[in-house]
C-alpha cells in the first residue's frame, strides 16, 4: 500500500520538474531573442554611422608639406576611422563615372579639387560631434571646405533615439512578463511542497536550512533550461548563418562574437538568477504562513 502510494508521487514530482524546466526554457528563449535583437540593432546603427564620410576639400595652392601635416592630424584624430586621399585626377574620374559623361578639364586643370575623405568612428558620427570638430578641420593647412551629409545625419539622430526608446519599452515589458512567468512557475513548484516546508518548521529547522534545497533545485532547473535555450538559439542561428543563402553574409556582420556571448550570458544569468530569486520569494512566502494558513491556502 505504502509503496503503491509513493510511486505516483515520485513520477508526479519528476513530471512537475520537467514541465517547470520546459516553461523556464521558453521564457529564456524569449529573453535570448530580445538580447540578440538589441545587439543586432546596435551593430546595425554603428554600421550606418560608420558609412558616413567627411570630405575635406583642399585648395589648389596646398604644398606637399601642408598636405602631409593635414593627413597626419586627420589620422591622429579620435573621430577618424580611415583617411583616404583623393587626387584631382581621381576625383575627376570618379565624377565622370558617376555622371556617365566626360566633364574634361579647364585650361589643363581639373574642376574637381583634391580632398581627404575621412570615414568616421561610430561614437563620433553624430551631427553635434561633427559640428564641434568642424572648426578644427577648417583650421588645418590647405583645407578650403568641409562637407558631410548634414540632413541625413540629422534625420538619423532623431530617428535612432526614438526607435531605441521604443525597443527599451518593449524590452522592459517583456522582462516584466518573463519575471512573472518564471515567478508563477516557481511558485507552483514550491506550493506542491508546502506541507514539507511546514513540517520542517515544526521540527525547528531554520529558514536558511529550509530554503537551501529549494534554491539549489531552482538553480539546477534554471541551468538546465539555460543550456537547452542556448542550444536551441545556437542551432537556429547556425542554420540562418550557414543555410539561409546570401542574406547570411550580412547577418554575420550583425551577429558578432560579442553579441552572441552577451546573448548566451544573459540566458545563463537569467536562468540562474531569476529562478533562484523566485524560489526564494516563494519559499519565504510559505515560511511566513502560520500553521492554519498552510491548509487554507
Amino acid at each position: 500500500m505504502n509503496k503503491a502510494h509513493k510511486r505516483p508521487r515520485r513520477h508526479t514530482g519528476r513530471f512537475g520538474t520537467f514541465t517547470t524546466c520546459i516553461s523556464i526554457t521558453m521564457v529564456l528563449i524569449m529573453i535570448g531573442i530580445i538580447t540578440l535583437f538589441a545587439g543586432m540593432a546596435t551593430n546595425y546603427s554603428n554600421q550606418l554611422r560608420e558609412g558616413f564620410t567627411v570630405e575635406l576639400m583642399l585648395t589648389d595652392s596646398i604644398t606637399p608639406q601642408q598636405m602631409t601635416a593635414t593627413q597626419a592630424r586627420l589620422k591622429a584624430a579620435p573621430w577618424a576611422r580611415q583617411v583616404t586621399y583623393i587626387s584631382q585626377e581621381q576625383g575627376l574620374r570618379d565624377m565622370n563615372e558617376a555622371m556617365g559623361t566626360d566633364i574634361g578639364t579647364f585650361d589643363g586643370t581639373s574642376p574637381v579639387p583634391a580632398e581627404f575623405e575621412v570615414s568616421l568612428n561610430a561614437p563620433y558620427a553624430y551631427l553635434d560631434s561633427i559640428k564641434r570638430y568642424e572648426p578644427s578641420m577648417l583650421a588645418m593647412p590647405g583645407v578650403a571646405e568641409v562637407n558631410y551629409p548634414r540632413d541625413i545625419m540629422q534625420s538619423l539622430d532623431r530617428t535612432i533615439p526614438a526607435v531605441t526608446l521604443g525597443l527599451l519599452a518593449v524590452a522592459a515589458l517583456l522582462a516584466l512578463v518573463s519575471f512573472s512567468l518564471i515567478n508563477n512557475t516557481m511558485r507552483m513548484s514550491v506550493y506542491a511542497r508546502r506541507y514539507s516546508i511546514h513540517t520542517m518548521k515544526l521540527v525547528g529547522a531554520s529558514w536558511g536550512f529550509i530554503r537551501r534545497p529549494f534554491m539549489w533545485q531552482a538553480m539546477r532547473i534554471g541551468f538546465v533550461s539555460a543550456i537547452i535555450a542556448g542550444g536551441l538559439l545556437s542551432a537556429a542561428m547556425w542554420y540562418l548563418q550557414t543555410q539561409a543563402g546570401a542574406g547570411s553574409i550580412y547577418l554575420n556582420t550583425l551577429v558578432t562574437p560579442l553579441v552572441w556571448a552577451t546573448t548566451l550570458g544573459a540566458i545563463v544569468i537569467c536562468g540562474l538568477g531569476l529562478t533562484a530569486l523566485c524560489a526564494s520569494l516563494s519559499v519565504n512566502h510559505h515560511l511566513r504562513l502560520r500553521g492554519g494558513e498552510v491548509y487554507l491556502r
Side-chain angles (χ1 to χ4, degrees):
M1 294 287 293
N2 292 335
K3 292 182 179 181
H5 287 297
K6 288 182 180 180
R7 287 177 183 173
R9 291 179 183 176
R10 187 156 49 240
H11 291 301
T12 301
R14 291 176 182 175
F15 181 74
T17 302
F18 174 76
T19 55
T20 300
C21 184
I22 294 300
S23 300
I24 295 176
T25 298
M26 299 302 295
V27 175
L28 293 179
I29 289 176
M30 183 171 61
I31 293 175
I33 292 175
I34 296 171
T35 307
L36 182 62
F37 280 175
M40 292 173 62
T42 300
N43 285 341
Y44 180 70
S45 173
N46 290 338
Q47 289 181 7
L48 286 179
R49 294 192 180 279
E50 289 181 351
F52 292 141
T53 58
V54 176
E55 297 174 346
L56 283 75
M57 304 300 179
L58 305 177
T59 61
D60 294 336
S61 60
I62 186 172
T63 64
Q65 293 79 8
Q66 290 177 327
M67 186 178 300
T68 301
T70 298
Q71 187 174 24
R73 290 177 62 179
L74 288 174
K75 289 183 176 180
W79 39 267
R81 182 171 56 88
Q82 183 178 0
V83 179
T84 304
Y85 172 71
I86 300 177
S87 65
Q88 289 181 311
E89 295 76 11
Q90 180 63 42
L92 181 59
R93 287 196 298 268
D94 293 343
M95 179 172 290
N96 287 334
E97 291 178 2
M99 298 181 64
T101 185
D102 186 5
I103 299 178
T105 61
F106 297 95
D107 296 331
T109 60
S110 171
V112 180
E115 66 178 68
F116 282 114
E117 188 176 85
V118 183
S119 299
L120 301 174
N121 285 316
Y124 295 91
Y126 293 83
L127 187 60
D128 293 340
S129 297
I130 299 303
K131 285 183 176 179
R132 185 166 63 250
Y133 289 106
E134 186 174 1
S136 63
M137 298 181 200
L138 290 171
M140 293 181 182
V143 176
E145 185 181 353
V146 175
N147 295 325
Y148 51 91
R150 292 174 173 82
D151 294 339
I152 298 177
M153 295 179 72
Q154 185 177 16
S155 176
L156 195 63
D157 289 348
R158 288 197 306 262
T159 303
I160 288 183
V163 174
T164 301
L165 184 61
L167 289 176
L168 288 176
V170 173
L173 179 61
L174 291 178
L176 179 61
V177 171
S178 300
F179 176 79
S180 300
L181 291 174
I182 293 179
N183 187 42
N184 290 335
T185 301
M186 297 310 302
R187 285 184 65 181
M188 289 188 293
S189 178
V190 174
Y191 179 80
R193 300 172 61 185
R194 64 191 183 281
Y195 297 127
S196 299
I197 296 175
H198 181 59
T199 301
M200 286 189 284
K201 283 175 58 180
L202 293 177
V203 299
S206 65
W207 283 26
F209 179 82
I210 298 173
R211 191 187 301 113
R212 192 175 301 116
F214 289 94
M215 297 282 290
W216 280 113
Q217 183 185 22
M219 292 180 69
R220 285 195 297 268
I221 294 174
F223 183 70
V224 172
S225 300
I227 292 177
I228 298 174
L232 292 175
L233 279 180
S234 299
M237 189 54 58
W238 173 84
Y239 175 79
L240 291 176
Q241 290 180 312
T242 59
Q243 307 295 328
S248 62
I249 299 175
Y250 183 67
L251 184 63
N252 291 335
T253 65
L254 298 180
V255 185
T256 60
L258 178 60
V259 170
W260 194 238
T262 303
T263 300
L264 296 180
I267 291 175
V268 173
I269 291 174
C270 291
L272 295 175
L274 288 180
T275 51
L277 175 62
C278 294
S280 178
L281 294 175
S282 299
V283 174
N284 288 341
H285 170 73
H286 288 285
L287 288 173
R288 295 189 187 98
L289 297 179
R290 298 180 180 178
E293 294 177 331
V294 174
Y295 300 96
L296 294 176
R297 298 187 180 186

